[in-house]
Amino acid sequence: MSAHTQPSGTGSGLVKWIDSRLPVFTYLQKEYGEFPAPRNFNYWWNFGAILSFMLVLMIFTGIFLAMQYTPHVDFAFDSVERIMRDVNYGWLLRYMHANGASFFFIAVYIHIFRGLYYGSYKNPRELLWIFGVVILVLMMATAFMGYVLPWGQLSLWGATVITSLFSAIPLVGDSIVTWLWGGFAVDNSTLNRFFSLHFLLPFVIVGVVALHVIALHVTGSNNPLGIDPKGPQDTIPFHPYYTAKDSFGLAIWITLFAAVVFFAPNFFGEPENYVRANPLVTPAEIVPEWYFLPFFAILRAVNFDVLFIDAKLGGVIAMFGSILVLFVVPWLDRSKVRSARFRPVYKWFFWILVLDCLLLGFVGGHPPDEKVFEGIEGLKFINLGHLGTAWYFFHFLVLLPLLGMFEKTRPLPTSIAEPVLGGGQSAAGAAAKPMEKA
Amino acid sequence: MTDHASEPDEKPESRRDFLYLTTGLFAGAGAALALWPFIHSMNPSADVLALSTTEVDISPVEVGQSITVIWQKKPVFIRRRTPEEIQIAEAEPLDDLPDPQTDTDRVIKPEWLVVVGVCTHLGCIPLGQKSTEPRGEWNGWFCPCHGSHYDTSGRIRKGPAPDNLLVPEYKFVDDTTLLIG
């Protein structure tokens, strides 16, 4: 096709031969080599690469764990203990996989909040954002089913509670739950299908990630200023600039990950799940994994009937609604300005939303009737849950549309290069100056 | 789809449109029907359904005691109630109940209360079978997961659960044998 795609040195003949038949090298060069990326990415833009790494790591460790695991209620728990004690490096595989899920969610939450702060979901990146939310939903389903596989007490009872959510659906709810279980309780049929789906879904995620990345490469990346690149002076080639920056961030990320895997592998886990599942004894407290706690808090916050909707169905609607609302964020936010840097009011509400999600996570980890402070009678966790849930929906459904109408945004810079290459109206003359990396 | 139909006369297209539509419809319906075996394969299988009855010998149970048996892989609470418990359960005004049901509608013999021991909220096993366990404010059962209280008739009194504990199909085969399911 074109000569500039050919790497020099040996093998270029073979490369040329392949490339003229299946242009993979041209594609890689175009999309990951010279792909023009805005020159002003900060480290919040590292999480795409980090997430790709985590997905590959989870699939890789998962495939090797599946070689040792037995999806049967009589053997599952023992097979996991065998992985921990007898299988060579089994402990490492399992600890990487279990903590990998936590780190995957940390990264994806940062990635999502990055998008919310810099308005990455706005025109023309709505579909890109929607694919991202689809990935989040798939990740949650995958993580939930994966947690059931070790068949500990929380595996069983977490699965029971979450699948029972569907019984709230009027008329067909109970039939759906029986269908999900393949029986009349969470049992062997359930464990088997969860294993099958837990194996399948990551590859579905790979597919949606591909769509997510393709859509990204059509629209191009957003950037901390939230304005479009206006010419070559505003962009730099992805390689070597961002491959290097991503690698550096990834190295730090992996260091943190390794620190937890080797020195605190059970930090994110619950001791209760090292107790074999017992269908006749419910643990004193059923808590989901930490990354589900905010949603769990929203589920429990609706403890009252709303018109003809009883509390149980209301909680389920609120919980699923808290994720579904993300799909329509591009249309709820009416502001033309993307980046919160130029939205003085939104910036504050963004950080309040972050705190609100942390608060909900905190609430989700405590029984509803527990007192928040010892000695203060009136304030229970359920009260905080009400507050946090109300604010969450208020932010998305009321604040975002209103801010778009009434917020006075700050003036946008004329180009990405302007603040870097010096002020003035014309960026053209400045293009010759040496590049400075932010 | 109708690129060459931009010409003003659209009438001649109707026969082809009809063929497209019916073909598409039949293909779609066929695909949907072909999905059913896959969906139905996830429903309870014959061996799971075969576990649908359980026979229980209730002769060793003393007044005031409870036993838990397994039916369809779920715990069933069988409580031999004391006269006071029966009297309290029967005297309860229906207006106070979130899911109104008289005690007599929930038992065959008042002395024996048989309920599925699964909280109607999100499926936990309520506590209260042993006398050492918390039985809630109505002295029946208490679900530790989200704080539902059940009375001595297994009816929901307080907390997030919407319904009373389910009374399974059962009958007394003789005075000391119970057939659940």
Side-chain angles (χ1 to χ4, degrees):
Chain A
M1 262 173 139
S2 56
H4 71 276
T5 62
Q6 303 307 327
S8 58
T10 55
S12 70
L14 179 64
V15 165
K16 204 177 287 179
W17 188 89
I18 293 173
D19 205 56
S20 57
R21 285 156 181 80
L22 183 72
V24 280
F25 298 102
T26 307
Y27 171 80
L28 286 176
Q29 177 64 14
K30 182 165 165 282
E31 299 298 337
Y32 294 97
E34 64 208 33
F35 183 68
R39 62 190 297 158
N40 58 335
F41 283 174
N42 54 30
Y43 277 103
W44 299 113
W45 261 260
N46 275 40
F47 286 88
I50 287 170
L51 285 161
S52 309
F53 171 81
M54 292 312 295
L55 180 58
V56 172
L57 179 86
M58 293 304 280
I59 290 177
F60 198 69
T61 51
I63 284 171
F64 282 85
L65 285 168
M67 294 177 191
Q68 310 286 349
Y69 171 77
T70 313
H72 187 285
V73 287
D74 294 337
F75 307 107
F77 188 83
D78 291 336
S79 75
V80 172
E81 286 309 302
R82 186 181 152 269
I83 289 171
M84 293 302 290
R85 293 154 195 245
D86 296 345
V87 175
N88 299 327
Y89 289 111
W91 59 272
L92 181 62
L93 293 176
R94 176 161 176 267
Y95 278 154
M96 282 205 287
H97 198 73
N99 288 294
S102 281
F103 273 74
F104 207 166
F105 273 96
I106 294 171
V108 88
Y109 287 147
I110 294 174
H111 193 63
I112 291 168
F113 277 115
R114 193 285 316 271
L116 287 173
Y117 187 85
Y118 293 109
S120 299
Y121 47 82
K122 291 185 192 181
N123 182 11
R125 298 185 183 84
E126 301 94 331
L127 205 52
L128 174 60
W129 171 264
I130 286 172
F131 282 131
V133 182
V134 171
I135 294 169
L136 173 67
V137 173
L138 288 170
M139 275 177 65
M140 295 174 92
T142 309
F144 160 66
M145 289 192 273
Y147 194 62
V148 177
L149 302 185
W151 209 240
Q153 270 290 64
L154 290 179
S155 299
L156 169 64
W157 291 102
T160 301
V161 169
I162 300 300
T163 48
S164 295
L165 293 177
F166 291 91
S167 69
I169 301 168
L171 303 176
V172 293
D174 288 326
S175 311
I176 289 178
V177 172
T178 304
W179 177 73
L180 287 172
W181 288 344
F184 303 102
V186 174
D187 198 33
N188 199 42
S189 308
T190 324
L191 180 62
N192 265 247
R193 64 190 54 184
F194 277 19
F195 179 58
S196 170
L197 293 173
H198 183 71
F199 209 115
L200 165 74
L201 286 185
F203 297 96
V204 178
I205 293 177
V206 169
V208 185
V209 166
L211 295 175
H212 190 67
V213 172
I214 291 170
L216 173 73
H217 282 228
V218 171
T219 60
S221 299
N222 188 29
N223 65 79
L225 293 174
I227 56 175
D228 295 324
K230 295 204 171 58
Q233 76 279 6
D234 287 346
T235 63
I236 44 176
F238 192 83
H239 181 74
Y241 295 101
Y242 288 125
T243 45
K245 188 162 183 160
D246 280 347
S247 303
F248 178 66
L250 190 58
I252 291 177
W253 181 262
I254 293 173
T255 309
L256 294 173
F257 178 58
V260 172
V261 166
F262 290 108
F263 297 107
N266 289 304
F267 174 75
F268 291 109
E270 288 287 332
E272 185 77 26
N273 216 33
Y274 280 107
V275 177
R276 189 189 300 267
N278 182 349
L280 294 186
V281 178
T282 307
E285 206 189 327
I286 300 177
V287 276
E289 289 276 84
W290 69 266
Y291 38 80
F292 290 139
L293 288 176
F295 304 102
F296 195 55
I298 291 173
L299 169 74
R300 294 196 295 194
V302 184
N303 59 349
F304 45 84
D305 299 346
V306 183
L307 303 175
F308 58 92
I309 299 170
D310 64 25
K312 181 172 160 181
L313 181 58
V316 173
I317 291 173
M319 187 184 72
F320 284 108
S322 67
I323 301 166
L324 293 179
V325 74
L326 296 175
F327 281 107
V328 289
V329 162
W331 294 276
L332 288 172
D333 186 349
R334 314 287 299 177
S335 176
K336 292 273 182 284
V337 176
R338 293 196 191 109
S339 174
R341 282 195 190 172
F342 307 104
R343 301 186 61 188
V345 185
Y346 173 75
K347 183 190 270 185
W348 283 101
F349 284 120
F350 168 85
W351 286 111
I352 292 173
L353 180 71
V354 173
L355 290 177
D356 186 50
C357 291
L358 292 174
L359 172 76
L360 284 170
F362 178 60
V363 170
H366 293 268
D369 287 332
E370 193 180 300
K371 288 191 281 265
V372 181
F373 302 107
E374 216 38 64
I376 299 180
E377 280 304 316
L379 189 64
K380 291 178 173 170
F381 274 98
I382 185 70
N383 306 120
L384 287 185
H386 287 154
L387 182 73
T389 304
W391 183 267
Y392 184 91
F393 286 104
F394 177 74
H395 176 95
F396 286 109
L397 297 177
V398 180
L399 263 178
L400 277 189
L402 284 184
L403 281 180
M405 281 186 264
F406 297 112
E407 185 181 30
K408 188 166 161 30
T409 56
R410 290 166 50 200
L412 295 173
T414 50
S415 80
I416 293 173
E418 182 209 54
V420 182
L421 302 175
Q425 296 293 76
S426 67
K433 286 188 184 171
M435 250 182 318
E436 287 172 58
K437 194 74 170 64
Chain B
M1 205 161 98
T2 54
D3 47 321
H4 55 277
S6 47
E7 260 62 35
D9 62 324
E10 304 115 17
K11 282 270 152 74
E13 292 284 359
S14 63
R15 181 174 166 276
R16 178 142 300 181
D17 283 349
F18 174 77
L19 288 173
Y20 274 139
L21 203 70
T22 41
T23 312
L25 218 62
F26 272 85
L33 286 175
L35 263 184
W36 175 245
F38 295 92
I39 294 168
H40 196 45
S41 77
M42 288 173 70
N43 269 322
S45 52
D47 63 316
V48 172
L49 290 172
L51 300 172
S52 55
T53 59
T54 299
E55 213 175 70
V56 191
D57 176 16
I58 52 174
S59 56
V61 186
E62 302 285 335
V63 174
Q65 276 188 336
S66 299
I67 59 167
T68 305
V69 298
I70 306 289
W71 169 66
Q72 289 187 343
K73 304 264 180 170
K74 287 180 288 200
V76 171
F77 295 161
I78 302 175
R79 187 179 282 191
R80 189 169 182 182
R81 301 189 292 182
T82 62
E84 303 86 72
E85 284 175 336
I86 299 169
Q87 198 233 319
I88 292 169
E90 285 176 347
E92 208 67 67
L94 288 186
D95 295 348
D96 294 355
L97 303 172
D99 181 13
Q101 204 179 13
T102 61
D103 186 60
T104 42
D105 284 345
R106 293 176 57 78
V107 290
I108 295 174
K109 297 179 181 177
E111 195 175 31
W112 296 96
L113 177 70
V114 182
V115 288
V116 175
V118 174
C119 182
T120 57
H121 182 225
L122 293 174
C124 298
I125 313 288
L127 299 172
Q129 282 297 83
K130 295 185 188 130
S131 55
T132 51
E133 289 174 349
R135 287 184 163 176
E137 292 171 25
W138 280 267
N139 204 27
W141 289 271
F142 170 70
C143 184
C145 292
H146 305 97
S148 293
H149 298 253
Y150 296 93
D151 66 12
T152 53
S153 189
R155 292 173 297 199
I156 179 67
R157 303 306 295 268
K158 181 183 172 186
D163 302 320
N164 301 332
L165 290 179
L166 183 77
V167 178
E169 291 276 316
Y170 70 94
K171 62 183 179 197
F172 289 90
V173 180
D174 53 51
D175 276 352
T176 58
T177 313
L178 199 65
L179 183 72
I180 305 171

